Amino acid sequence: MEMLKAIAIGLPLTVLVTILALMIGTVVALPIVAGLRSRNRLIWLMSRGLVDLLRGIPPVVWLFMLYYGISIGAVRLSALQAGVLGLGVVAAAYLAEIFRGAISAVPKGQWEASSALGFHRATVWTRIVGPQTARAAIPAYTTFAIGLLKDSSIASTIGVSEIVFMSSQYARQSGSGILVFFVAAGIYILLSVPLGLLSRHLDVKMRKAVAR
Amino acid sequence: MNNLVDVAIEYGPTLLGGLKVSLTLTILSLALGLPIGLLFSFGVTAKNKAFRYISVFFVEVGRGAPALVLLQLMYYGLPNANLTLSSMASACLALTWTTAAYSAELIRGGMQSVPSGEIEGSHALGMSYRDCLRFVVIPQGLRIALPSLMGFAVLLFQATSLAYSVAVPELMSQAYSIGSSTFQYLPVFIVAGLLYAAISIPATWLSVGAERLLSRHL
Amino acid sequence: MEQLMIELNPQTTQPVVQVKNLAKAYGSNVVLRDVSLSVAEGSVTAMIGPSGAGKSTVLRCMNLLEQPDSGEIVIDGHCINAGKKTSPKSLAALRRSAGMVFQHFNLFPHMTVLRNVSLPQERVLGCSREQANEKSMELLKRMGLADKADQYPSRCSGGQQQRIAIARALALGPRVMLFDEPTSALDPEVGVEVLEVMKELASTGMTMVVVTHEMAFAENVADELVVMADGGIIEKGHPGQILKDPQHERTRRFLRAVLER
């Protein structure tokens, strides 16, 4: 019980890091998607390169660069700031790919029908392609969110006192390592269950809505 | 920029040595994890209860828990059960678990997407259940799963960077120790990052290429 | 040739396939009710009827791709009773004596054409690789596809794939060939290739049961026509006679819909 309490102290930070990184990732992903869909070769190449670089380097390296490597004057990023920012930009790259895939999953006929009906570009995005993209992206998006929840543990390496940080601290103090880490694993699994259920629920609902 | 080149030249050999350890860890975990993953892919739907429960436990925990937790479990946890492993062995064990868990799901997904018509075809020809698995379901399932398994291998390679937390002398831990002794953190981590990218970006292209190549006959 | 067909009268020869009182339902949805059918050696039986009538289900029950709820199936002396548990051995024997051709071919896409035809011979009949390949090449030649042996199925047209599927089934030396809408997934022009092969097969005396929408094939090649609707057989007999003078109102309605198109 004491153990559970010690670990649970890390819970709010795990949730906070996950949610903030997801928000940063989602927002930053949008301009990257636009770049990946751009007809301008230079913009496309830069976006492609950015996505590949962000995904090609392990998150822990980004976090270390931001935490140990970056200082603006004498001011360094706090562990939490570096953790959220690092996980956020890496998330942006993965989410950009998810969104790009979802957009290209909207059948070409939908674009053609929209222009045949004389819709404005904005209308096409908000009413036709946007909603269908969201439907296609949600399963992958929730799967990614579950992955991000687990990756938020990487923030422990730069000292963010979330679940894994608290667990290893407790393990070192108490010397009951096996149980501590199984409990920590259990908490992550429990946290991802509602997300997984939500994903499945939305998927089933949408399959009914856009059954072909 | 000059700084970066200096660091690369000065510490290149040490970092490359670390990269070799990272790659060794990746390959060992794949070599051990993939066969177990194939086994679990049958286990999670097996009729035999013991086999099924064991498979489900390892697959769900392996996928549900962060790799960092599994690494620390093996390194800091197992000694409590009077089982002390070297840092390399415990990291290998943890990442093998991760590999087995993820690949089990990927392989199962691949086998499930073998068109039911082909399985029916083999039944109609009078082929036995075992032959159907051996000649139709497993080869095609693995083939379908191969690109995503390659994608997973890239993520696994990146995950080896977490093994620095259990003192495996791989790329990340080499970079960190150079950084903390010279305070040249940024250039060292950039060089290390580029080394990771130099492996994982082409490997990702390879997995995309494999997907195209293998969907030729489907 | 037509003379010969008529002489092979279904009543006088020993039936190769016998289906007795077959019934099947998915929950409250009855797909087959009390279907009985017998197919004489060397005869061609065509099954027609509106979609959802249960034609394909009867065919798929014959080699137990679908498990009927009740009834009995006898193919070439191998008897399977829906009520009793079937041993894998008798199931394999039954399936070996019935060759099946599917609407969507169901070739194995990861094997060459030759492997597709040879593998079942090796695994089911226990042939050696050489024996199997020899037989396969002979059949592919007969189908006009000898030059496709080393290609993958995806490189072949639909009509070629279906002929490969026919060769694959024939290679096991079946007593009866079951065709489940073999031309429905094909362009009309390509379907002709497959129908030609089937006609040739019929002329060699192969026993065949064909679920089809090809009325010309039903009329000209079949010895026996079975009309199904709503899970039951509503009429059966000589094709010419049924097509000219259908006895049942449901048959008349179906034929009008098909022929007046």
Side-chain angles (χ1 to χ4, degrees), chain C residues 89-114:
Chain C
K89 215 172 175 184
S90 62
L91 181 62
L94 178 118
R95 282 178 170 164
R96 206 175 310 153
S97 35
M100 177 102 172
V101 175
F102 298 89
Q103 182 177 354
H104 294 288
F105 335 130
N106 294 349
L107 294 174
F108 305 129
H110 58 303
M111 298 175 196
T112 62
V113 168
L114 185 66

Side-chain angles (χ1 to χ4, degrees), chain A residues 15 17 21 35-36 41-42 54 60 62 64 74 76 87-88 93 101 107 116 133 136-138 156 190-191 199 201 206:
Chain A
V15 175
V17 170
L36 288 175
R41 287 303 282 180
L42 188 67
L54 283 171
V60 67
W62 289 114
F64 274 43
R76 266 177 49 187
L87 290 172
T133 300
I138 280 179
S156 72
L190 281 180
L191 283 175
S199 157
H201 172 73
M206 270 174 251

Side-chain angles (χ1 to χ4, degrees), chain C residues 154-222:
Chain C
S154 61
R155 286 297 202 75
C156 301
S157 72
Q160 290 168 337
Q161 290 193 43
Q162 193 59 295
R163 283 182 282 156
I164 297 162
I166 294 173
R168 182 174 74 170
L170 283 176
L172 298 177
R175 289 296 307 278
V176 55
M177 287 284 285
L178 310 174
F179 293 84
D180 189 3
E181 304 198 18
T183 56
S184 295
L186 302 173
D187 289 338
E189 216 173 315
V190 175
V192 171
E193 306 170 4
V194 175
L195 290 171
E196 283 303 319
V197 166
M198 289 168 65
K199 256 186 235 172
E200 191 256 350
L201 200 57
S203 71
T204 63
M206 173 60 80
T207 312
M208 293 163 61
V209 181
V210 186
V211 171
T212 187
H213 293 293
E214 306 273 357
M215 298 310 286
F217 180 86
E219 186 170 6
N220 300 330
V221 184

Side-chain angles (χ1 to χ4, degrees), chain A residues 57-125:
Chain A
I57 296 176
V60 67
V61 181
W62 289 114
L63 262 55
F64 274 43
M65 274 193 236
L66 288 171
Y67 184 64
Y68 293 106
I70 302 281
S71 52
I72 304 154
V75 185
R76 266 177 49 187
L77 289 173
S78 76
L80 182 63
Q81 285 166 339
V84 166
L85 201 61
L87 290 172
V89 291
V90 173
Y94 282 96
L95 289 172
E97 278 291 349
I98 289 174
F99 295 159
R100 190 189 59 83
I103 293 171
S104 55
V106 176
K108 226 174 110 200
Q110 296 290 311
W111 293 93
E112 286 169 359
S114 304
S115 22
L117 290 166
F119 286 157
H120 280 293
R121 261 185 86 80
T123 317
V124 179
W125 277 108

Side-chain angles (χ1 to χ4, degrees), chain C residues 73-84:
Chain C
I73 300 149
V74 186
I75 296 184
D76 193 28
H78 304 290
C79 176
I80 284 196
N81 199 308
K84 293 179 209 149

